[in-house]
Every structure is written in C-alpha cells, then in structure tokens.
Amino acid sequence: MSNDWRMQYGYPGLARLPGTLPWKLAPRLGRDPREARRSTEDFLLMRFEQMFPQSTPAQRMQWACAHMDMLALEMIDGTALPRLGGANGPSIELEGWEHVQRLVDRKKGFIIVLTHFDRLMTSLVAFARKGLKMNALTMPVLDNPDLDPVHRRFLTRKVNNLVGVMQGQYRSTSESLRPVHEGLAAGEVWIILADVWQPTFGRLRKHPFLGGEISLPTGIERLAKSTGVPLVHAISYTQAVDHLRVDVDPLPEDPKAAVDAVIQRLERDVRERPWAWWQWGVLDNMWQRTNGEERL
C-alpha cells in the first residue's frame, strides 16, 4: 500500500468507523509503506543512540516503534479531528485550564505556545471544547509547490478540520503578519509553535538542550514584546491511543524568560519521552553539541 493510498482511502475509511476504533486501528495501518517505515526506524535508532548513548538497543527500538505509532495517530487525529475529545472519540484530560481562563478573563489577547511534541492538535481541541476561539500561525504547508494532489487534498482536509475546531484564522509565516499583530492587540488568541526550523530563518537564539545548544527563532518573544501580550504553554501526552492528557503551564511575564521556560520543559519531556518529539529529522540544522568549557 502506498502512502497515497493511505491518504486517499485508508485514513478517510478508518474515520468512518464508530467510537475509538479508528485510533485503535491507525497504528496497524501506519503512516508509511513498509520500506519507508523501515528507513525511518533505522534513522531514529541511529539518532537515539547518538543523543542517548546510555540507552539500550531494546529501549531505542521501543522508542522508534512508539514514534511511528504517534505519526499514525496524528494522521487519524487530523482526519477525524471533530471527534477528538468527544463522546465518539478519544478522551482528553485537561490539567491547568485555570491558567488560560485567567488570561481570557482579562479580555486581552495572548499567545498559546506549543512545541512539536506528541499529538499537536490535542491542546487546541481541548481548549475549543472549553469555548475558546483561537487562531493559528504556522510554517507554510499548503503553499508547498512539491505537494502532489493527493497530499494536498489530505492536508487541506486536515487544515479545514483544524479551522472548524478553532473557529478562527489559519495563517502561515509566508503571509503578512500584520493581521496577527492587529489581532493580538484587539484581544485575539494566537497559537504559535516554538521549536520550528527553516533555512531562511535569520533571527535565532540558542538554548541549552540535550547536552548541547538548540537555535530557535525569536519570533514569539518579539511578537509578544511588541504587542504587550502574555504567553501560556500547552503540551499533550498520549496515555493510550484513545486517551490523552493536556497540561497547561503559566509562563513568566518577560517574553524571553517565557520562551526559555517552554524550551526547558521541552527538554525535560524529550528526555522522558524521546519518541514523542517530531523534530529529530531536522536536529542537525537546529542543534550543536557543546562541552562544559565551551559553555563556560
């Protein structure tokens, strides 16, 4: 079965099954054909050994398999997103909503900071089910000229499902950021990912990360500083294929300190759940190893 088959027929077919059955079957269907899956697993095993040399081969294989399952679950999440957190889909346990509610009660705009960890859309669904209207600023996806028609249709459906849940705008960084500035100033809520990478990024800042330093864009902190809005952090944890938990963290008022806190939390989570981070494939572009003398 090709990846095109999965996107065109496999996951849409699974999404028509009742209850949580689509999520239970998604790991069996997988995201990729057998050869592509094997190549990805081999890469992950190499990366995990590089970054976690104290781990055992059995641990690394378990992490690689868990990562592949997560990719498949994200595929069915995007296909059947309106069912996530509802009576006919996986349950979501939300911890720390009071930190978001406190910002909502101020009737001012704020930024929800996410990272590429676990199932990315879970936090947005959990917040939407509390009545929060949101907007998303993401890396360019649909305007990628290399997308074939099948991939484009699949991603378009995923984006449309996401917009339907958020009830707000979906903008990419290739578009003007003026609506984002104006929206935050007018009291809107915007979601932005912190651990992104693109070769065109110019303004980067280094953070301690996994025994080295990771260079990340400063856009979130600059946007928060220029608009005067606070930040809050959300992250999801897959407890089972049909049960997720979302944790919400309050962040310092200073935007720079707030982003630092997000990356510190991400490092802790990646150490505990290496399989749940999406960015292993671009790590070489973002991260470099340091030693104590260089850090000093």
Side-chain angles (χ1 to χ4, degrees), residues 62-244:
Q62 183 182 24
W63 295 343
C65 292
H67 185 88
M68 301 308 295
D69 288 350
M70 179 187 71
L71 300 183
L73 291 169
E74 180 78 3
M75 294 279 281
I76 193 62
D77 285 348
T79 309
L81 192 64
R83 290 167 56 181
L84 199 63
N88 198 31
S91 61
I92 302 176
E93 176 186 353
L94 178 58
E95 299 287 342
W97 167 253
E98 65 273 11
H99 304 305
V100 178
Q101 186 63 56
R102 188 177 300 116
L103 297 179
V104 172
D105 292 342
R106 293 173 56 178
K107 298 187 179 347
K108 293 184 178 181
F110 60 92
I111 297 172
I112 299 173
V113 184
L114 304 182
T115 54
H116 285 87
F117 191 85
D118 205 72
R119 289 151 71 180
L120 305 181
M121 294 174 287
T122 307
S123 302
L124 313 187
V125 173
F127 295 162
R129 291 193 175 278
K130 288 286 190 178
L132 184 66
K133 179 180 177 181
M134 297 161 285
N135 308 275
L137 178 66
T138 72
M139 299 289 290
V141 177
L142 297 179
D143 47 1
N144 183 348
D146 296 327
L147 286 177
D148 61 47
V150 173
H151 284 69
R152 187 174 298 278
R153 283 196 298 271
F154 183 86
L155 290 174
T156 298
R157 176 179 179 177
K158 180 178 179 179
V159 169
N160 289 340
N161 282 339
L162 184 60
V163 171
V165 167
M166 297 189 308
Q167 297 293 304
Q169 301 181 59
Y170 178 95
R171 299 185 65 83
S172 81
T173 52
S174 62
E175 301 175 287
S176 170
L177 295 184
R178 174 173 287 184
V180 183
H181 281 262
E182 294 176 347
L184 286 169
E188 292 178 353
V189 179
W190 282 83
I191 301 132
I192 310 178
L193 285 156
D195 57 337
V196 294
W197 178 83
Q198 197 175 38
T200 57
F201 284 159
R203 299 184 181 182
L204 302 172
R205 187 162 66 86
K206 293 181 178 180
H207 303 260
F209 193 77
L210 299 181
E213 291 178 330
I214 190 169
S215 296
L216 297 175
T218 57
I220 293 177
E221 56 200 71
R222 287 186 287 113
L223 182 61
K225 185 175 182 179
S226 65
T227 57
V229 300
L231 298 91
V232 67
H233 174 233
I235 194 162
S236 72
Y237 301 94
T238 296
Q239 308 295 294
V241 294
D242 57 354
H243 178 63
L244 300 106

